Amino acid sequence: EAWQPDATFFELIRERATINAMLAEVAGEAVAKGNVTEKVKTQKQIIGDCLAGKNDRPKVDNWLPGVMAFPFRSYGSGICSIATAARTARGVAQTV
């Protein structure tokens, strides 16, 4: 069985842009745009509903957030030390 995000995972993510990008991944761009001004808690609930197939949301299986993937995929254009390190590592690997 694939990794599944739990409540702790979502508690650690607080940035609205990140949650909205994750919502777009699991529920689609239209749902994310339609909920962009909703509270982060509401957007997290919709993601959870999609992952569980609850509240008339189609179930999404095997979702892996970019922050858990390898290579790391960041959400948004902000500075992130993990994303910067991943880009640097890819650059070094490509020159070897």
Side-chain angles (χ1 to χ4, degrees):
E1 184 173 313
W3 173 86
Q4 293 288 319
D6 60 11
T8 303
F9 173 80
F10 288 112
E11 283 294 319
L12 294 172
I13 300 171
R14 298 191 174 122
E15 300 83 19
R16 180 181 299 275
T18 299
I19 291 298
N20 194 259
M22 290 178 175
L23 181 58
E25 287 181 346
V26 298
E29 289 289 332
V31 173
K33 286 180 182 178
N35 287 281
V36 72
T37 60
E38 288 295 328
K39 293 180 181 180
V40 169
K41 181 178 179 180
T42 302
Q43 292 187 46
K44 288 178 183 181
Q45 180 62 48
I46 296 169
I47 293 170
D49 289 347
C50 290
L51 297 176
K54 294 181 179 177
N55 294 322
D56 297 322
R57 303 272 181 196
K59 186 173 182 177
V60 175
D61 290 317
N62 301 322
W63 173 65
L64 184 65
V67 296
M68 300 293 288
F70 183 83
F72 178 89
R73 292 185 331 266
S74 63
Y75 293 102
S77 60
I79 295 172
C80 173
S81 60
I82 296 172
T84 301
R87 281 191 295 274
T88 301
R90 281 195 303 267
V92 169
Q94 291 173 357
T95 61
V96 173

